[in-house]
Amino acid sequence: MKAIEIRNKYLNYFKNQGHSIIPSAPLIPENDPSVLFNTAGMQPLVPYLLGEKHPAGVRLTDYQKCVRTNDIDEVGDNRHLTFFEMLGNWSLGDYFKKESIKYSFEFLTKELQIPVEKLSVTCFAGDEDCARDEETAKAWKEVGIPEERIYYFGKDDNWWIAGTEGPCGPDTEMFYDTGKPKCSENCNPSCSCGKYVEIWNNVFMEFYKNKDGKYTKLTQRNVDTGLGLERMTMLLQGKETPFDTELFLPIMQKLESLQKVNDINSRRIVAEHLRSSMMIIADGGRPSNIDRGYVLRRLIRRMIRHLNKLQISLDELSNLIDINVENLKEMYPELEQNRETIKNVMLEEKDKFAKTLEHGEKEFIKEMNKLKEAGKNILDGKIVFKLYDTYGFPPEVTEDLAKENGLEIDKAEFEKLFKEHQELSRQGAEQKFKGGLADQNEKTISYHTATHLLHKALKVVLGDHVRQSGSNITEERLRFDFTHPQKMTPEEIKKVEDLVNEQIQRDLKVTCEEMSYDEAKASGAIGLFTNKYGDRVKVYTIGDFSKEICGGPHVEHTGDMGTFKIKKEESSSSGIRRIKAVLIK
Ligand code: SER
């Protein structure tokens, strides 16, 4: 069965069990600075797990695009992926353990036709926070899993939480027996020898873990499940790795035909990072030196280094992108829609990286010679940092070069310097934000409110993919940067202007409320978050039109802001448009 068939079967099965199919949220969380990317299906649903009403009901199912980069250095082995898709079904205060287990069992054994003998399950063993999960074990026995294939483990294996704070609870995991021999007498599903592969995780979320590590009961009992699509595809096709499935085969074969040096790990790294970075770019990500931009930059640059290792010309990059778009567009139409942007961003990054490599390598050789003259063989962290900070030379490349030349590097010192540098740039950004707001008068305040109206109007007219990527206000005009793949048409510009002017004429009241970050998120507020998870934020509401997190200040009524006019709509960088607009009184 192909991946897309598994996805469709899943969504249809749960639809037939009364679930609404909801779309995947973008990889880049809309309103959540606490995580870089969506890393699990439940993340975009947190407000609803906490009790907010979901417009599609209490039973939901979807596929969610996820990126996890804690494993980035492991990609190249036969199973780690930085991008993957998670199929999920949710009960928001509706059904609980028994039904959830019945659905999972039926889907696996009837829809996917996995023989019962291949399945083992694990349940929570119990501790001072939560009792042993006998109820789950009983439900498994009732559907037909024999006692000897039901295992109990503690929090390390059978408790799920995203990060350290948030909704959580005991889980039950399903394992597929590959038929490999047991690695020892005690071999069981928690063992990593490869006999048992985890295929599905059902979390019974009825707790909230707060900052101090205390658990409280949620107002409702939820079910959150996650089934990794690539892994299931591989198992059902009897393949050893996801790279042997149709998701990766075309790109793997192309790399094999182009390579001058044969290296399966490098081929896998290229194939995986190419897919991952294309997905991130399609959802609005752009390379930079901080946060998610830096993750994307690392993915692209690591991919390029491995293309170099395979001795594949970088001129092939555009073709490789096309192969992936063609292969994956049925599953991810956004790749086709953003094909040109993906190419522009990747090729631009490739050119930058080529220059960086050239300059950095020269500098590295200078430093190495100095070191050798001094009879030393440890490159100190300051030099690794200087190469990174001044020449943009990635630390992992320095590490590779050092290795090739028989040198070691002082990683701990580099990391210390790197952290200090990140902290400084974070503080700098906050200063800038405050500074910008200190300088306020009637005109800039009106432009500030107009910016919120514009942001919302762009989302209405162009679509929900529009995301603010920059804003600048003077007494004369506003400037607003946002993600959008192509030039706006004159009709679209007119529509946006009309929509903003309509709101001004309606003389909407602007109100401000302070609330917790969670409440703001649950209220559906949009905006750039500068506050961390848990802090209190201000939410500005403009009538029934816009709700956005912001430091303010804003006008009290929209009525006398003047007439809104877009003066210019132009490209800012690839995939980012820039609008300059004025208010005429
Ligand atoms: N949140 C759980 C996971 O990511 C189940 O979806 O595994």
PDB file of all heavy atoms in Angstrom, residues 224-246:
ATOM      1  N   ASP A 224      -5.455  11.804  22.238  1.00  0.00           N
ATOM      2  CA  ASP A 224      -4.578  12.326  21.180  1.00  0.00           C
ATOM      3  C   ASP A 224      -3.802  11.147  20.638  1.00  0.00           C
ATOM      4  O   ASP A 224      -3.094  10.478  21.376  1.00  0.00           O
ATOM      5  CB  ASP A 224      -3.630  13.365  21.806  1.00  0.00           C
ATOM      6  CG  ASP A 224      -2.275  13.443  21.103  1.00  0.00           C
ATOM      7  OD1 ASP A 224      -2.201  13.184  19.887  1.00  0.00           O
ATOM      8  OD2 ASP A 224      -1.282  13.764  21.791  1.00  0.00           O
ATOM      9  N   THR A 225      -3.959  10.842  19.352  1.00  0.00           N
ATOM     10  CA  THR A 225      -3.186   9.713  18.832  1.00  0.00           C
ATOM     11  C   THR A 225      -2.291  10.153  17.692  1.00  0.00           C
ATOM     12  O   THR A 225      -2.575  11.116  16.996  1.00  0.00           O
ATOM     13  CB  THR A 225      -4.075   8.541  18.334  1.00  0.00           C
ATOM     14  OG1 THR A 225      -4.355   8.723  16.947  1.00  0.00           O
ATOM     15  CG2 THR A 225      -5.354   8.414  19.139  1.00  0.00           C
ATOM     16  N   GLY A 226      -1.188   9.441  17.510  1.00  0.00           N
ATOM     17  CA  GLY A 226      -0.253   9.767  16.436  1.00  0.00           C
ATOM     18  C   GLY A 226       0.307   8.503  15.801  1.00  0.00           C
ATOM     19  O   GLY A 226       0.830   7.634  16.496  1.00  0.00           O
ATOM     20  N   LEU A 227       0.153   8.422  14.489  1.00  0.00           N
ATOM     21  CA  LEU A 227       0.662   7.265  13.742  1.00  0.00           C
ATOM     22  C   LEU A 227       1.618   7.802  12.675  1.00  0.00           C
ATOM     23  O   LEU A 227       1.220   8.624  11.842  1.00  0.00           O
ATOM     24  CB  LEU A 227      -0.522   6.527  13.110  1.00  0.00           C
ATOM     25  CG  LEU A 227      -0.287   5.263  12.292  1.00  0.00           C
ATOM     26  CD1 LEU A 227      -1.565   4.420  12.275  1.00  0.00           C
ATOM     27  CD2 LEU A 227       0.128   5.527  10.857  1.00  0.00           C
ATOM     28  N   GLY A 228       2.867   7.394  12.723  1.00  0.00           N
ATOM     29  CA  GLY A 228       3.873   7.898  11.780  1.00  0.00           C
ATOM     30  C   GLY A 228       3.697   7.264  10.406  1.00  0.00           C
ATOM     31  O   GLY A 228       3.811   6.050  10.250  1.00  0.00           O
ATOM     32  N   LEU A 229       3.408   8.115   9.420  1.00  0.00           N
ATOM     33  CA  LEU A 229       3.054   7.586   8.101  1.00  0.00           C
ATOM     34  C   LEU A 229       4.223   6.899   7.387  1.00  0.00           C
ATOM     35  O   LEU A 229       4.057   5.823   6.813  1.00  0.00           O
ATOM     36  CB  LEU A 229       2.507   8.720   7.227  1.00  0.00           C
ATOM     37  CG  LEU A 229       2.102   8.294   5.819  1.00  0.00           C
ATOM     38  CD1 LEU A 229       0.931   7.321   5.849  1.00  0.00           C
ATOM     39  CD2 LEU A 229       1.739   9.495   4.960  1.00  0.00           C
ATOM     40  N   GLU A 230       5.397   7.512   7.429  1.00  0.00           N
ATOM     41  CA  GLU A 230       6.533   6.940   6.686  1.00  0.00           C
ATOM     42  C   GLU A 230       6.883   5.554   7.217  1.00  0.00           C
ATOM     43  O   GLU A 230       7.197   4.635   6.462  1.00  0.00           O
ATOM     44  CB  GLU A 230       7.756   7.854   6.794  1.00  0.00           C
ATOM     45  CG  GLU A 230       7.664   9.149   6.015  1.00  0.00           C
ATOM     46  CD  GLU A 230       6.827  10.213   6.684  1.00  0.00           C
ATOM     47  OE1 GLU A 230       6.311   9.961   7.804  1.00  0.00           O
ATOM     48  OE2 GLU A 230       6.660  11.290   6.096  1.00  0.00           O
ATOM     49  N   ARG A 231       6.829   5.424   8.539  1.00  0.00           N
ATOM     50  CA  ARG A 231       7.203   4.154   9.156  1.00  0.00           C
ATOM     51  C   ARG A 231       6.180   3.067   8.818  1.00  0.00           C
ATOM     52  O   ARG A 231       6.532   1.942   8.491  1.00  0.00           O
ATOM     53  CB  ARG A 231       7.255   4.361  10.667  1.00  0.00           C
ATOM     54  CG  ARG A 231       8.049   3.307  11.346  1.00  0.00           C
ATOM     55  CD  ARG A 231       8.104   3.576  12.816  1.00  0.00           C
ATOM     56  NE  ARG A 231       9.154   4.498  13.194  1.00  0.00           N
ATOM     57  CZ  ARG A 231       9.360   4.880  14.455  1.00  0.00           C
ATOM     58  NH1 ARG A 231       8.570   4.441  15.415  1.00  0.00           N
ATOM     59  NH2 ARG A 231      10.331   5.691  14.750  1.00  0.00           N
ATOM     60  N   MET A 232       4.892   3.447   8.882  1.00  0.00           N
ATOM     61  CA  MET A 232       3.846   2.477   8.559  1.00  0.00           C
ATOM     62  C   MET A 232       3.962   2.048   7.097  1.00  0.00           C
ATOM     63  O   MET A 232       3.819   0.864   6.760  1.00  0.00           O
ATOM     64  CB  MET A 232       2.469   3.103   8.831  1.00  0.00           C
ATOM     65  CG  MET A 232       1.331   2.159   8.608  1.00  0.00           C
ATOM     66  SD  MET A 232       1.455   0.676   9.633  1.00  0.00           S
ATOM     67  CE  MET A 232       0.541   1.185  11.067  1.00  0.00           C
ATOM     68  N   THR A 233       4.241   2.990   6.219  1.00  0.00           N
ATOM     69  CA  THR A 233       4.390   2.677   4.797  1.00  0.00           C
ATOM     70  C   THR A 233       5.512   1.654   4.603  1.00  0.00           C
ATOM     71  O   THR A 233       5.358   0.649   3.905  1.00  0.00           O
ATOM     72  CB  THR A 233       4.718   3.968   4.000  1.00  0.00           C
ATOM     73  OG1 THR A 233       3.745   4.947   4.329  1.00  0.00           O
ATOM     74  CG2 THR A 233       4.711   3.728   2.515  1.00  0.00           C
ATOM     75  N   MET A 234       6.625   1.925   5.263  1.00  0.00           N
ATOM     76  CA  MET A 234       7.778   1.031   5.155  1.00  0.00           C
ATOM     77  C   MET A 234       7.434  -0.385   5.641  1.00  0.00           C
ATOM     78  O   MET A 234       7.723  -1.377   4.967  1.00  0.00           O
ATOM     79  CB  MET A 234       8.900   1.659   6.001  1.00  0.00           C
ATOM     80  CG  MET A 234       9.989   0.759   6.436  1.00  0.00           C
ATOM     81  SD  MET A 234      11.015   1.662   7.631  1.00  0.00           S
ATOM     82  CE  MET A 234      10.698   0.691   9.091  1.00  0.00           C
ATOM     83  N   LEU A 235       6.752  -0.476   6.775  1.00  0.00           N
ATOM     84  CA  LEU A 235       6.439  -1.800   7.327  1.00  0.00           C
ATOM     85  C   LEU A 235       5.468  -2.560   6.428  1.00  0.00           C
ATOM     86  O   LEU A 235       5.650  -3.740   6.142  1.00  0.00           O
ATOM     87  CB  LEU A 235       5.838  -1.666   8.730  1.00  0.00           C
ATOM     88  CG  LEU A 235       6.809  -1.198   9.816  1.00  0.00           C
ATOM     89  CD1 LEU A 235       6.064  -0.898  11.094  1.00  0.00           C
ATOM     90  CD2 LEU A 235       7.909  -2.237  10.054  1.00  0.00           C
ATOM     91  N   LEU A 236       4.413  -1.851   5.981  1.00  0.00           N
ATOM     92  CA  LEU A 236       3.412  -2.548   5.159  1.00  0.00           C
ATOM     93  C   LEU A 236       4.001  -2.996   3.830  1.00  0.00           C
ATOM     94  O   LEU A 236       3.551  -3.975   3.243  1.00  0.00           O
ATOM     95  CB  LEU A 236       2.197  -1.649   4.918  1.00  0.00           C
ATOM     96  CG  LEU A 236       1.313  -1.377   6.141  1.00  0.00           C
ATOM     97  CD1 LEU A 236       0.127  -0.513   5.755  1.00  0.00           C
ATOM     98  CD2 LEU A 236       0.828  -2.668   6.795  1.00  0.00           C
ATOM     99  N   GLN A 237       5.010  -2.277   3.368  1.00  0.00           N
ATOM    100  CA  GLN A 237       5.630  -2.677   2.099  1.00  0.00           C
ATOM    101  C   GLN A 237       6.775  -3.662   2.315  1.00  0.00           C
ATOM    102  O   GLN A 237       7.463  -4.035   1.357  1.00  0.00           O
ATOM    103  CB  GLN A 237       6.137  -1.428   1.354  1.00  0.00           C
ATOM    104  CG  GLN A 237       4.997  -0.496   0.950  1.00  0.00           C
ATOM    105  CD  GLN A 237       5.466   0.765   0.228  1.00  0.00           C
ATOM    106  OE1 GLN A 237       6.655   0.928  -0.040  1.00  0.00           O
ATOM    107  NE2 GLN A 237       4.531   1.634  -0.100  1.00  0.00           N
ATOM    108  N   GLY A 238       7.004  -4.014   3.552  1.00  0.00           N
ATOM    109  CA  GLY A 238       8.074  -4.961   3.850  1.00  0.00           C
ATOM    110  C   GLY A 238       9.460  -4.408   3.547  1.00  0.00           C
ATOM    111  O   GLY A 238      10.383  -5.149   3.225  1.00  0.00           O
ATOM    112  N   LYS A 239       9.598  -3.087   3.639  1.00  0.00           N
ATOM    113  CA  LYS A 239      10.891  -2.461   3.337  1.00  0.00           C
ATOM    114  C   LYS A 239      11.670  -2.231   4.629  1.00  0.00           C
ATOM    115  O   LYS A 239      11.094  -2.108   5.702  1.00  0.00           O
ATOM    116  CB  LYS A 239      10.669  -1.129   2.604  1.00  0.00           C
ATOM    117  CG  LYS A 239       9.938  -1.284   1.281  1.00  0.00           C
ATOM    118  CD  LYS A 239      10.899  -1.732   0.204  1.00  0.00           C
ATOM    119  CE  LYS A 239      10.262  -2.272  -1.055  1.00  0.00           C
ATOM    120  NZ  LYS A 239       9.418  -1.339  -1.764  1.00  0.00           N
ATOM    121  N   GLU A 240      12.985  -2.130   4.460  1.00  0.00           N
ATOM    122  CA  GLU A 240      13.852  -1.966   5.633  1.00  0.00           C
ATOM    123  C   GLU A 240      13.926  -0.520   6.107  1.00  0.00           C
ATOM    124  O   GLU A 240      14.152  -0.252   7.274  1.00  0.00           O
ATOM    125  CB  GLU A 240      15.277  -2.442   5.293  1.00  0.00           C
ATOM    126  CG  GLU A 240      15.475  -3.939   5.371  1.00  0.00           C
ATOM    127  CD  GLU A 240      15.567  -4.440   6.821  1.00  0.00           C
ATOM    128  OE1 GLU A 240      16.325  -3.843   7.592  1.00  0.00           O
ATOM    129  OE2 GLU A 240      14.862  -5.423   7.148  1.00  0.00           O
ATOM    130  N   THR A 241      13.789   0.409   5.174  1.00  0.00           N
ATOM    131  CA  THR A 241      13.914   1.826   5.532  1.00  0.00           C
ATOM    132  C   THR A 241      12.864   2.637   4.760  1.00  0.00           C
ATOM    133  O   THR A 241      12.407   2.206   3.702  1.00  0.00           O
ATOM    134  CB  THR A 241      15.305   2.414   5.158  1.00  0.00           C
ATOM    135  OG1 THR A 241      15.279   2.753   3.764  1.00  0.00           O
ATOM    136  CG2 THR A 241      16.441   1.442   5.415  1.00  0.00           C
ATOM    137  N   PRO A 242      12.531   3.836   5.264  1.00  0.00           N
ATOM    138  CA  PRO A 242      11.595   4.691   4.513  1.00  0.00           C
ATOM    139  C   PRO A 242      12.170   5.106   3.164  1.00  0.00           C
ATOM    140  O   PRO A 242      11.425   5.440   2.244  1.00  0.00           O
ATOM    141  CB  PRO A 242      11.414   5.923   5.408  1.00  0.00           C
ATOM    142  CG  PRO A 242      12.123   5.664   6.678  1.00  0.00           C
ATOM    143  CD  PRO A 242      12.938   4.425   6.556  1.00  0.00           C
ATOM    144  N   PHE A 243      13.508   5.086   3.044  1.00  0.00           N
ATOM    145  CA  PHE A 243      14.139   5.502   1.783  1.00  0.00           C
ATOM    146  C   PHE A 243      13.887   4.497   0.658  1.00  0.00           C
ATOM    147  O   PHE A 243      14.128   4.782  -0.502  1.00  0.00           O
ATOM    148  CB  PHE A 243      15.642   5.713   1.978  1.00  0.00           C
ATOM    149  CG  PHE A 243      15.933   6.771   3.000  1.00  0.00           C
ATOM    150  CD1 PHE A 243      16.294   6.442   4.298  1.00  0.00           C
ATOM    151  CD2 PHE A 243      15.783   8.113   2.669  1.00  0.00           C
ATOM    152  CE1 PHE A 243      16.521   7.427   5.244  1.00  0.00           C
ATOM    153  CE2 PHE A 243      16.018   9.107   3.614  1.00  0.00           C
ATOM    154  CZ  PHE A 243      16.387   8.764   4.904  1.00  0.00           C
ATOM    155  N   ASP A 244      13.411   3.310   1.027  1.00  0.00           N
ATOM    156  CA  ASP A 244      13.102   2.301   0.007  1.00  0.00           C
ATOM    157  C   ASP A 244      11.642   2.342  -0.427  1.00  0.00           C
ATOM    158  O   ASP A 244      11.193   1.507  -1.199  1.00  0.00           O
ATOM    159  CB  ASP A 244      13.411   0.896   0.553  1.00  0.00           C
ATOM    160  CG  ASP A 244      14.857   0.787   0.990  1.00  0.00           C
ATOM    161  OD1 ASP A 244      15.724   1.151   0.187  1.00  0.00           O
ATOM    162  OD2 ASP A 244      15.110   0.376   2.142  1.00  0.00           O
ATOM    163  N   THR A 245      10.869   3.291   0.110  1.00  0.00           N
ATOM    164  CA  THR A 245       9.460   3.399  -0.289  1.00  0.00           C
ATOM    165  C   THR A 245       9.322   4.441  -1.396  1.00  0.00           C
ATOM    166  O   THR A 245      10.265   5.196  -1.665  1.00  0.00           O
ATOM    167  CB  THR A 245       8.578   3.840   0.892  1.00  0.00           C
ATOM    168  OG1 THR A 245       8.921   5.203   1.216  1.00  0.00           O
ATOM    169  CG2 THR A 245       8.789   2.962   2.105  1.00  0.00           C
ATOM    170  N   GLU A 246       8.132   4.496  -1.982  1.00  0.00           N
ATOM    171  CA  GLU A 246       7.921   5.414  -3.111  1.00  0.00           C
ATOM    172  C   GLU A 246       8.095   6.875  -2.714  1.00  0.00           C
ATOM    173  O   GLU A 246       8.252   7.744  -3.570  1.00  0.00           O
ATOM    174  CB  GLU A 246       6.532   5.177  -3.728  1.00  0.00           C
ATOM    175  CG  GLU A 246       5.339   5.845  -3.036  1.00  0.00           C
ATOM    176  CD  GLU A 246       4.914   5.141  -1.747  1.00  0.00           C
ATOM    177  OE1 GLU A 246       5.511   4.101  -1.398  1.00  0.00           O
ATOM    178  OE2 GLU A 246       3.977   5.630  -1.080  1.00  0.00           O
TER     179      GLU A 246
END
